[in-house]
Amino acid sequence: MEALVKKYTKAFKSNKSMSPHKLRHTYGTNLMEQSGDIHLLITQLGHTSTTTAALYTKPEQE
């Protein structure tokens, strides 16, 4: 998966580094910002705890 992400990041000539984890986190953060639904986020990302999913509610703390 990581090799595919790097391959397609290069194809777009992006100067930003990208990883599968970063893509997942970006998706989770955007989903939370747009929907505000923590239960949807838990379902989409496969979390079992609202504590873990809460990391996506305030991404500026990272």
Side-chain angles (χ1 to χ4, degrees):
M1 181 62 82
E2 192 166 338
L4 285 174
V5 171
K6 286 183 181 184
K7 174 183 174 182
Y8 289 107
T9 300
K10 273 187 181 178
F12 285 102
K13 297 181 170 82
S14 174
N15 292 332
K16 295 181 179 182
S17 64
M18 194 59 62
S19 68
H21 174 77
K22 195 172 209 175
L23 287 174
R24 176 183 164 87
H25 191 78
T26 300
Y27 171 73
T29 300
N30 289 338
L31 180 63
M32 196 59 205
E33 285 176 356
Q34 292 176 12
S35 73
D37 186 347
I38 191 110
H39 297 292
L40 175 62
L41 180 73
I42 289 169
T43 301
Q44 289 290 304
L45 296 182
H47 291 295
T48 56
S49 164
T50 55
T51 304
T52 306
L55 297 172
Y56 296 91
T57 61
K58 295 188 174 131
E60 67 277 356
Q61 292 179 350
E62 290 184 10

